[in-house]
Amino acid sequence: MSAIQDRNTPFKDGELMPLLVAAATLIYAGTIVVANAAGFAEPGSTATGLAYLGRADTAVDNSVGVAGAAVVLVRRGKVFKFANAGADPVTQASVGRLAYIVDDQTVAATSGTGTRSAAGIVLGVEADGVWIQ
């Protein structure tokens, strides 16, 4: 039903979000965090169907827990520098284009023939890493 009066809609700034962690999962601080098909946070990896969430602000060990038993703080809305894949490097020609997740700290220029999920937009490439938004 559509609103028929003003509404006080709750909000969060969305920069630092507590997200439920997948079962049997260890996430290190400073690494790429994705949502799996069930919507739980896990480390970035070479896989399809993952949704990039941001960078883990804290480490969390849910390696013996069930899905949702732990929470990871994920920082969003920033530009993060991740490692560049040596075998499929992001180059200056990739600026403004998507980069793809290789693992929890590395991005690549291509989807690896459809085997990698998108990490975000490349905003810069430096000798020691790739800036991803």
Side-chain angles (χ1 to χ4, degrees):
M1 173 192 266
S2 298
I4 57 171
Q5 62 186 25
D6 291 345
R7 182 174 191 273
N8 185 12
T9 304
F11 69 94
K12 297 179 181 183
D13 70 12
E15 183 178 331
L16 191 59
M17 294 295 299
L19 299 169
L20 299 177
V21 177
T25 298
L26 173 63
I27 298 174
Y28 293 104
T31 61
I32 296 170
V33 178
V34 298
N36 63 22
F40 290 100
E42 64 182 42
S45 63
T46 295
T48 59
L50 302 176
Y52 174 82
L53 296 173
R55 187 205 70 191
D57 217 50
T58 58
V60 64
D61 186 354
N62 194 34
S63 56
V64 296
V66 298
V71 172
V72 63
L73 292 177
V74 176
R75 191 160 301 273
R76 300 177 42 80
K78 302 291 182 186
V79 180
F80 302 109
K81 187 191 282 187
F82 295 116
N84 200 349
D88 186 8
V90 176
T91 66
Q92 185 64 30
S94 299
V95 171
R97 293 168 178 75
L98 284 173
Y100 296 85
I101 302 166
V102 174
D103 57 35
D104 65 354
Q105 65 178 353
T106 310
V107 296
T110 71
S111 69
T113 321
T115 61
R116 300 179 187 133
S117 296
I121 303 295
V122 176
L123 292 185
V125 181
E126 297 179 357
D128 62 344
V130 181
W131 290 98
I132 301 293
Q133 181 180 37

